[in-house]
């Protein structure tokens, strides 16, 4: 059997796909398999399934496959592009994997199965020589696929012979007479609309009417309880606007705690209510209104787009309003985040440009009592550009507050700028990862990593959080932090040396984690450190190895790999 035919058989290829060539790489113990397809073949449109000829080719894509004879095997192919009159130009997925995903279906199944058996994602990654972040993506996809499969299950028909006897249909329940010719969702839908508009007293009354009129109808108990909880809390909150805003932020947190303890679901409706609630907080900061009054129509919050964090709530049985995004004109482009590090530089938003948002008066503090930044309120109201400006301007008041940088990262993430968001998250971790608001954090990769580290470090959650930034950097979630000589490198070196001195006196495990992460940053800025004579990188690496030998080995392998690729 020819080598090409051998690999075609291993891959289970069928026309129009074929193996074009197989290239073994002796020194690297690798083999590259190049795949191709017949030019005259037809491919199904991903949108409608109708067969279409290929009109173009995608750039070459690569998939990691199962090893063959101890060699790392990679598949390479240009995928066909079909032009459908209805769905335009698209590329059908290949039979061995998913377009754009870096591993084949077979490799994905192997990783998912072994990671479950081994019980350690990083050990699985080292075993197969892949990045831990890639293993995490595979496991997440496997969980999502399992959840979808579970949701699509339908109860099976009862087995067994009925003996030819016809099973009578269940007796019909007497239908309740509709009140004023309305169906049993009328009170509920009106209650939902009032709940969305933060007309809480009206919502409570409508949900109560629904329950009394249709006791066997749709259950609105969770919404009714939440609306009453918010109404009572708002009536009991202080009158002074800034103290009131602080109390209302705590009220919403208490509602989320309550819903989580009751294992309530999450829904788009709850996210919309959350945004409307924080819009109300902003309005009351800018001009106090009596509690319970309806929000003014001109200030109604934009619709929920579905990208925000979903707060507790149930599913809506009937939606009468459009939930798609459609806010007005584009907001002005906010400034990029301030240069962040230790110490924190002043934000790069000019005072003339940044107007006091929800601060009550010109020149008022952008930090509420209790250390809550006004930008936090703007963030949860969905006003991301204003939140970014407010949070940047609050940094001078709270220069060592990790939560502020975390919220700034959330605002950028929800605005669609993941790269800048992760720079902000990195700065938050440099201050103290335990102070980040992990409940509302918008980066699923970081939250997933934190959950995994929580298992590794047992009950010591603070220690798990302390080691998180180092793991995030090794797994590629955080990019290297470039620090220049005149932009904080000397200050970071001084900060490191002070920590190293404290570490020499007391081998504190949390301090070891902080030292390790700062050591990684210093090592990755080796060229710039030539101008900072006080740092000895040999000593830095010696301390890193003592603090965490396994992680240090992974880090040195990463550095060696970068040098080989240059």
């Amino acid at each position: 059997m020819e080598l090409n035919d051998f690999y075609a058989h291993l891959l289970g290829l069928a026309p129009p796909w074929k193996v074009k060539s197989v290239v073994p790489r002796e020194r690297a113990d690798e083999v590259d398999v190049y795949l191709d397809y017949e030019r005259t073949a037809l491919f199904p449109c991903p949108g409608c399934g109708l067969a279409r000829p290929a009109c173009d080719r995608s750039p070459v894509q690569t998939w990691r496959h199962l090893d063959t004879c101890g060699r790392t095997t990679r598949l390479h192919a240009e995928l066909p592009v079909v032009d459908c009159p209805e769905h335009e130009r698209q590329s059908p997925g290949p039979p061995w994997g998913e377009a754009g995903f870096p591993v084949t279906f077979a490799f994905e199944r192997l990783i998912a199965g072994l990671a479950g058996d081994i019980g350690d994602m990083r050990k699985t990654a080292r075993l197969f020589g892949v990045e831990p972040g890639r293993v995490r993506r595979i496991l997440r996809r496997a969980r999502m696929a399992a959840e979808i499969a579970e949701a699509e299950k339908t109860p099976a028909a009862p087995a067994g012979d009925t003996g030819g006897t016809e099973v009578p249909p269940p007796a019909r329940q007497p239908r309740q007479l509709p009140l004023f010719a309305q169906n049993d969702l009328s009170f509920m839908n009106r209650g939902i609309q009032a709940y969305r508009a933060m007309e809480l007293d009206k919502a409570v009354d409508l949900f109560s009417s629904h329950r009394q009129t249709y006791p066997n109808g749709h259950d609105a108990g969770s919404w009714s309880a939440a609306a009453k909880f918010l109404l009572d809390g708002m009536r009991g909150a202080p009158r002074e606007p800034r103290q009131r805003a602080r109390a209302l932020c705590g009220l919403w947190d208490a509602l989320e705690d309550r819903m989580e303890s009751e294992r309530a679901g999450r829904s788009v409706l709850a996210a919309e209510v959350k945004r409307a609630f924080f819009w109300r907080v902003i309005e009351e900061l800018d001009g106090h209104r009596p509690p319970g009054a309806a929000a003014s129509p001109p200030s109604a919050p934009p619709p929920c787009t579905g990208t925000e964090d979903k707060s507790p709530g149930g599913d809506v049985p009937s939606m009468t309003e459009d939930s798609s995004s459609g806010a007005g004109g584009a907001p002005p482009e906010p400034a990029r985040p301030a240069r962040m590090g230790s110490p924190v530089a002043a934000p790069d938003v000019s005072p003339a440009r940044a107007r006091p948002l929800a601060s009550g008066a010109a020149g008022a503090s952008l930090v509420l009592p209790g250390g809550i930044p006004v930008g936090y309120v703007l963030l949860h109201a969905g006003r991301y550009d204003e939140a970014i400006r407010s949070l940047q301007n609050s940094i001078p008041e709270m220069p060592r507050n990790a939560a502020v940088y975390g919220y700034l990262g959330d605002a950028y993430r929800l605005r669609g700028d993941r790269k800048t968001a992760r720079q902000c998250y990195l700065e938050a971790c440099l201050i103290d990862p335990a102070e980040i608001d992990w409940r509302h954090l918008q980066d699923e990769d970081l939250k997933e990593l934190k959950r995994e580290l929580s298992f590794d470090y047992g009950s010591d959650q603070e220690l798990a959080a302390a080691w998180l930034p180092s793991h995030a950097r090794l797994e590629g979630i955080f990019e290297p932090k470039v620090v220049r000589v005149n932009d904080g490198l000397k200050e970071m070196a001084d900060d490191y040396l002070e920590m190293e001195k404290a570490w020499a006196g007391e081998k504190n495990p949390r301090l070891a984690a902080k030292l390790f992460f700062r050591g990684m940053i210093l090592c990755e800025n080796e060229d710039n450190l030539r101008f900072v004579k006080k740092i000895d990188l040999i000593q830095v690496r010696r301390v890193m190895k003592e603090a965490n030998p396994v992680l240090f080995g992974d880090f040195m392998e990463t550095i060696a790999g970068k040098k080989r690729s240059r």
Side-chain angles (χ1 to χ4, degrees):
M1 180 181 288
E2 295 290 337
L3 189 58
N4 289 4
D5 295 335
F6 172 74
Y7 271 93
H9 177 72
L10 285 181
L11 296 172
L13 294 183
W17 288 99
K18 61 183 180 180
V19 175
K20 182 179 180 181
S21 62
V22 178
V23 181
R25 302 187 185 277
E26 299 295 338
R27 292 183 179 179
D29 285 334
E30 296 178 355
V31 59
D32 294 308
V33 181
Y34 294 88
L35 309 175
D36 203 356
Y37 57 87
E38 298 292 343
R39 296 294 183 272
T40 58
L42 299 178
F43 296 91
C45 166
C48 61
L50 294 178
R52 303 282 178 186
C55 66
D56 200 357
R57 300 182 139 219
S58 74
V60 175
Q61 297 187 33
T62 300
W63 296 262
R64 171 75 185 272
H65 190 52
L66 302 176
D67 294 353
T68 51
C69 301
R71 294 175 181 268
T72 300
T73 304
R74 293 183 175 85
L75 311 183
H76 310 270
E78 295 174 327
L79 300 182
V81 177
V82 298
D83 192 356
C84 176
E86 182 178 357
H87 301 99
E88 301 181 342
R89 293 165 64 95
Q90 296 191 56
S91 182
W96 58 82
E98 183 178 315
F101 198 67
V103 302
T104 63
F105 293 138
F107 191 82
E108 191 171 356
R109 288 192 296 269
L110 176 67
I111 289 288
L114 285 180
D117 294 338
I118 295 173
D120 189 311
M121 182 270 299
R122 279 173 294 281
K123 287 182 180 178
T124 305
R126 284 195 292 270
L127 178 64
F128 288 93
V130 299
E131 299 86 350
R134 184 165 296 177
V135 176
R136 179 174 294 108
R137 288 178 64 193
I138 290 173
L139 295 177
R140 185 181 303 151
R141 282 164 55 92
R143 282 196 298 270
M144 290 174 62
E147 290 172 1
I148 293 172
E150 183 67 25
E152 291 177 348
K153 283 183 179 178
T154 55
D161 185 10
T162 61
T165 304
E166 184 177 351
V167 179
R172 290 186 61 182
Q173 298 295 326
R175 179 176 174 82
Q176 298 181 16
L177 291 177
L179 183 63
F180 303 121
Q182 299 179 70
N183 62 35
D184 67 340
L185 289 179
S186 175
F187 284 127
M188 174 175 280
N189 282 339
R190 288 161 59 198
I192 289 171
Q193 292 172 13
Y195 190 27
R196 280 198 187 104
M198 292 305 297
E199 297 173 338
L200 298 174
D201 47 359
K202 182 178 178 181
V204 170
D205 289 342
L206 286 166
F207 287 140
S208 177
S209 297
H210 169 80
R211 184 175 63 254
Q212 293 172 8
T213 308
Y214 304 104
N216 297 323
H218 289 278
D219 183 15
S222 61
W223 296 326
S224 178
K228 187 163 191 319
F229 183 85
L230 291 177
L231 181 61
D232 292 344
M234 294 179 76
R235 284 173 173 168
R239 290 286 183 175
E240 196 280 320
R242 298 179 69 80
Q243 291 289 349
R244 180 173 179 79
R246 172 194 180 184
L248 294 183
C249 290
L251 175 64
W252 187 267
D253 285 343
L255 176 64
E256 289 187 335
D257 289 340
R258 173 175 172 168
M259 291 297 188
E260 287 180 4
S261 67
E262 295 173 357
R263 300 186 180 274
R266 296 176 182 265
S267 70
V268 173
L269 170 64
E272 291 175 350
V273 171
K274 178 177 182 177
R275 295 181 72 176
F277 177 85
F278 281 97
W279 270 72
R280 169 70 66 81
V281 177
I282 293 169
E283 289 180 348
E284 294 192 0
L285 273 171
D286 287 333
H288 186 54
R289 288 186 293 109
S296 54
S299 301
C304 178
T305 63
T307 59
E308 297 84 352
D309 62 314
K310 300 296 187 291
S311 300
D315 294 329
V316 184
S318 174
M319 298 288 287
T320 58
E321 296 180 8
D322 182 15
S323 297
S324 62
S325 61
E333 177 71 16
R336 307 297 282 179
R339 291 190 182 97
M340 295 174 289
S342 177
V344 178
D348 57 0
V349 179
S350 62
R353 183 178 182 185
R355 60 189 180 90
L357 299 166
S359 57
S365 170
L366 288 172
V367 181
L368 299 173
I372 301 173
V374 172
Y376 168 88
V377 182
L378 292 163
L379 170 65
H380 289 303
R383 294 163 63 164
Y384 307 132
D385 297 317
E386 296 170 83
I388 288 170
R389 288 193 291 269
S390 180
L391 288 164
Q392 286 179 332
N393 283 333
S394 68
I395 288 174
E397 291 189 61
M398 312 171 76
R400 299 293 298 169
N401 190 306
V404 171
Y405 286 104
Y407 295 137
L408 188 57
D410 291 339
Y412 274 109
R413 185 70 185 89
L414 290 169
R415 224 177 129 256
D417 188 348
R418 187 175 70 171
K419 181 177 181 180
T420 306
R422 287 186 170 175
Q423 291 173 0
C424 297
Y425 294 141
L426 187 151
E427 298 300 332
C429 287
L430 270 174
I431 297 171
D432 188 354
E435 291 183 1
I436 296 173
D437 184 352
W438 288 100
R439 168 188 265 175
H440 299 115
L441 193 87
Q442 295 299 312
D443 194 308
E444 286 302 319
D445 288 332
L446 280 176
K447 293 176 79 170
E448 182 81 9
L449 177 59
K450 184 175 182 292
R451 283 191 289 269
E452 291 173 357
L453 292 177
S454 297
F455 287 108
D456 291 351
Y457 290 93
S459 59
D460 196 338
Q461 299 300 306
E462 289 189 8
L463 185 59
W467 280 107
L468 180 138
S470 298
H471 286 274
R473 173 66 199 99
L474 282 175
E475 295 185 16
I477 298 175
F478 288 157
E479 294 184 359
K481 177 179 172 63
V482 178
V483 190
R484 294 175 177 83
V485 176
N486 296 323
D487 196 19
L489 185 59
K490 292 181 180 178
E491 291 81 0
M492 177 167 282
D494 291 337
D495 187 34
Y496 174 86
L497 291 173
E498 185 177 342
M499 283 189 180
E500 187 183 90
K501 184 177 180 180
W503 160 258
E506 178 188 1
K507 304 296 184 182
N508 184 294
R510 293 178 184 80
L511 186 58
K514 293 181 178 180
L515 264 178
F516 192 97
F517 186 48
R518 284 158 177 77
M520 293 175 71
I521 295 173
L522 292 175
C523 289
E524 291 183 321
N525 285 271
E526 183 174 359
D527 292 340
N528 291 332
L529 277 175
R530 290 177 299 175
F531 304 101
V532 183
K533 304 299 183 182
K534 62 184 78 174
I535 288 291
D536 179 3
L537 282 181
I538 295 177
Q539 173 63 15
V540 170
R541 288 170 179 157
R542 185 180 295 120
V543 170
M544 291 173 65
K545 185 176 182 179
E546 183 181 356
N548 193 322
V550 175
L551 212 60
F552 176 73
D554 293 343
F555 176 62
M556 294 307 295
E557 287 181 10
T558 302
I559 291 181
K562 287 182 179 179
K563 290 181 177 179
R564 286 195 299 267
S565 63
R566 289 177 182 174

